[in-house]
Amino acid sequence: MRTKTPLPPRNSRRTRRRRAYTLCALAMSGLMALTACGSNTARDEDPDTAAGGGSGTVGVILPETATSARWESFDKPMLEQALRAEGFDADVQNAQGDVQKFSALADGMIAQGVKVLVIAAINSEVGSTVAAKAQRAGIPTIDYDRLSLGGSSDYYVSFDNVRVGELQGQAMADALKDKPGAEVIEIEGAPTDNNATLFHQGQTNVLQPLYDSGALKLVHSQPIDGWDNQKGGTVFEQLLTGNGGKVDGVVAANDGLAGAVITVLKKNGLNGQVPVTGQDATVEGLKAVLRGDQYMTVFKPIQAEAEAAAKLAAALAKGDTAAADALAQDVSQDPKGDREVKSVLLEPQTILKDQVKTVIDTGYVSAADVCSGDLSATCAELGIG
């Protein structure tokens, strides 16, 4: 039997600070569950903050809705509330995966004179272009969730995305520890998304030594353009067929791709036998974890991310870079731009079957959404409800 592969060490001060920030935000999100996080549908506005504070408008552009439910279900309402709590009106729009629409939304917000522009870019090229336009107009920009490589945003708010990949890799190593030589397929995110690169980097930190030693065997690692779930399922099916219909574990970069993989595994009678990773703790992802079709997901408390972005935006809108720097005490590398970007990097969390209750208890999804139908008995056994 192999011993458990330890995760690479992290900077303890940074990790403690991020965890403290996250725990605080989780506690706050639990208290605000009725107004901010009660389900993964649109939230009611808080009457105390809905009107804004007359300090101007912060513009936010989100990337899409096709591959992840998080942007509209979580980020949008949470950013709106967090910005209003800071005294700003929030103009939150979604580009629906269209780079031309992303640019057009940015042009409109710049023309309207937003105080700060927060961008979760579809890719680094459009993110960099938008940031440059905004800054020429004297509008500070914040990269949100995704760092635009070669860009010019002075600040970046996200999760420790290398750590996300490490959690996925460690979960796979743990799941296969009793199967020497187990064969693994990796279905990764879009090559144009820097986060996908960081997720893979983290997975490699854990899994490459196991591949090198022969403890595990990598069949193939394939990025999926646009995080396209349908394409991900097709690619996985081709890889599975090419490997004689055999696979022992699948590293899927998020819950959407994991769902596509699970559909193929079901067709081949392999679901529940092959551990599959995920990310985002979506309703469908959590259901798959409870059914045993998905081994784990990664919970990223978006309330903390939204609040950090709102506090940074408030500081920048007031021209208070000292306050912004005090918030952004982490650093992210932009190799394309050969620069370091001041960052807030929050700590993600592994969610296995017996930890699904953690996500529900904090209010990010509701028990009613996750525990419906065939999962009611499972949820009762786990104390969810």
Side-chain angles (χ1 to χ4, degrees), residues 92-161:
V92 183
Q93 303 291 333
N94 195 301
Q96 299 297 344
D98 186 331
V99 293
Q100 291 183 338
K101 182 176 181 180
F102 196 100
S103 294
L105 288 171
D107 290 344
M109 291 180 183
I110 291 168
Q112 292 165 17
V114 295
K115 297 293 186 181
V116 179
L117 188 58
V118 179
I119 52 177
I122 297 170
N123 58 45
S124 289
E125 287 71 25
V126 71
S128 299
T129 299
V130 164
K133 284 183 180 179
Q135 290 175 337
R136 285 197 295 271
I139 298 171
T141 60
I142 299 170
D143 281 348
Y144 178 80
D145 200 74
R146 299 170 172 179
L147 180 64
S148 292
L149 299 182
S152 56
S153 292
D154 293 319
Y155 296 91
Y156 171 50
V157 178
S158 190
F159 292 87
D160 186 334
N161 292 309

Side-chain angles (χ1 to χ4, degrees), residues 2 11 15 35 37 58 65 103 137 161 183 196 223 226 228 237 241 281-282 321 329-330 348 351 361-362 383-384:
R2 276 203 319 277
N11 182 297
T15 300
T35 57
C37 316
V58 172
T65 58
S103 294
N161 292 309
E183 298 185 358
D228 187 310
E237 188 163 24
T241 301
T282 62
T321 55
Q329 295 185 24
D330 296 309
I351 299 297
D361 285 350
T362 55
I384 300 172

Side-chain angles (χ1 to χ4, degrees), residues 298-315:
V298 177
F299 177 40
K300 301 185 298 186
I302 295 166
Q303 185 75 33
E305 187 179 22
E307 289 173 357
K311 289 182 184 301
L312 263 181

Side-chain angles (χ1 to χ4, degrees), residues 224-252:
I224 303 299
D225 290 338
W227 290 90
D228 187 310
N229 296 333
Q230 183 175 356
K231 186 178 296 183
T234 299
V235 168
F236 172 68
E237 188 163 24
Q238 291 169 346
L239 292 172
L240 180 65
T241 301
N243 200 45
K246 185 179 185 306
V247 67
D248 298 299
V250 183
V251 177

Side-chain angles (χ1 to χ4, degrees), residues 7 13 27 29 51 80 89-90 96 145 149 156 173 177 187 189 226 254 265 276 307 324 339 368:
L7 288 176
R13 182 181 69 81
S29 67
E80 287 173 340
D89 291 318
Q96 299 297 344
D145 200 74
L149 299 182
Y156 171 50
K177 65 181 183 294
I187 301 296
N254 71 356
L265 292 175
V276 180
E307 289 173 357
R339 67 188 187 116

